[in-house]
Amino acid sequence: LVFAQRRIPEEGSEITQMPLLLRHLRLKGCVVSMDAAHCQTDTIDLIVERGGEWLVSLRDNQPTTAAEIAPLLEALAATTAPAAESADKGHGRIEIRRCWILEGEAIKNLKCRGRWKGLRCAILCERTVIDPVTGKETIGRRIFMTSLPPQARELAALVRRHWQVESSLHWSLDVLWREDEARARTGYAATNLSLIRKTAINLLKLLKPDFPTLSFARIMKKAARRPDFLYKLLTNLLRA
């Protein structure tokens, strides 16, 4: 579900808007997962101050930290078995996921540790995609830092759920709602339409359990064509 959004000013960026967005959310007992763009010390500090935990992707936008942590994780992956491993088959491919965790004294001895409030471990996540027809393998690796304890299966699941935002939300916006094709640019039109789309997506997700055999696309089409079905959707929501 989408709980909040902020409009990015013309001369602003996501990085500066993220802390302003977080100030409106209750973070105690929650895990905030973020892309590498939000791997910023000010953002991490705010999450910890508000009682939340954090999980953030680490890339070259933090060169000093990446240069220190990446070689340690690569060496760990080259010499030890993964802390967690899983395999899935679907959509015409086989996916194997592995993760290695840097923890304990290795984290305590990091020169960059003091910059990242609450840092407890770093994770190397490897995803191997195999085409069963051609046998072609594609391997991708990503590094994450987190304030959470080094529990491999839980961390691997959180990383996977982080990337599911791309498929479950952004894919819906791009494919079902064709947001990238929208040409609203004047004033707050783009912001308002984005809010309406996300509100509609939230409604669909809340109502989906009542229609387990229908996809989101079919529910949308049926509601657009049949006012009685749209009325049923909205009344079911009000009862909930």
Side-chain angles (χ1 to χ4, degrees):
L1 298 177
V2 178
F3 291 101
Q5 71 173 29
R6 283 191 69 89
R7 180 172 181 261
I8 307 299
E10 291 183 7
E11 298 181 357
S13 70
E14 291 184 20
I15 294 173
T16 58
Q17 293 300 307
M18 182 68 162
L20 299 176
L21 179 64
L22 291 174
R23 292 183 189 279
H24 293 281
L25 301 175
R26 293 182 179 178
L27 302 182
K28 189 172 183 179
C30 298
V31 179
V32 181
S33 65
M34 302 172 287
D35 292 337
H38 300 294
C39 187
Q40 309 291 332
T41 54
D42 291 343
T43 302
I44 299 298
D45 290 348
L46 178 61
I47 293 170
V48 175
E49 288 167 8
R50 295 183 62 80
E53 304 288 351
W54 53 270
L55 172 77
V56 63
S57 178
L58 175 63
R59 302 191 73 175
D60 292 339
N61 61 324
Q62 293 291 345
T64 303
T65 301
E68 188 174 6
I69 290 179
L72 296 175
L73 281 169
E74 294 289 349
L76 185 67
T79 56
T80 63
E85 182 173 356
S86 64
D88 294 306
K89 184 177 182 180
H91 304 287
R93 63 178 182 265
I94 300 170
E95 293 188 13
I96 302 172
R97 299 178 182 85
R98 302 180 180 94
C99 80
W100 291 264
I101 299 179
L102 192 70
E103 56 175 306
E105 290 299 318
I107 291 294
K108 291 179 181 179
N109 294 331
L110 291 174
K111 295 179 182 178
C112 64
R113 186 185 176 217
R115 298 184 59 214
W116 308 101
K117 186 177 289 187
L119 175 63
R120 295 182 70 175
C121 62
I123 314 139
L124 175 63
C125 295
E126 180 183 271
R127 178 172 174 260
T128 303
V129 180
I130 304 172
D131 186 325
V133 177
T134 64
K136 180 182 177 182
E137 292 189 8
T138 304
I139 300 176
R141 284 183 165 182
R142 293 188 176 96
I143 294 174
F144 289 82
M145 300 189 298
T146 182
S147 62
L148 293 165
Q151 298 172 350
R153 293 188 180 279
E154 288 77 3
L155 291 174
L158 281 171
V159 168
R160 189 173 183 184
R161 285 202 291 269
H162 170 79
W163 293 114
Q164 284 176 345
V165 173
E166 181 68 34
S167 57
S168 65
L169 176 60
H170 295 162
W171 183 89
S172 296
L173 290 170
D174 294 341
V175 177
L176 296 181
W177 298 89
R178 298 183 179 179
E179 187 173 62
D180 288 345
E181 299 176 20
R183 292 294 175 263
R185 297 289 186 272
T186 305
Y188 286 87
T191 302
N192 293 337
L193 287 172
S194 175
L195 180 60
I196 291 171
R197 291 187 197 101
K198 292 184 176 75
T199 301
I201 288 175
N202 282 353
L203 294 179
L204 286 171
K205 288 186 176 182
L206 289 172
L207 295 167
K208 186 67 171 67
D210 295 332
F211 306 95
T213 62
L214 297 180
S215 66
F216 285 137
R218 289 185 64 189
I219 293 174
M220 290 166 59
K221 288 180 180 179
K222 194 171 182 178
R225 295 168 179 171
R226 290 181 48 184
D228 61 319
F229 183 72
L230 176 60
Y231 176 79
K232 183 179 180 181
L233 289 180
L234 296 177
T235 52
N236 282 356
L237 178 66
L238 291 175
R239 291 194 194 102

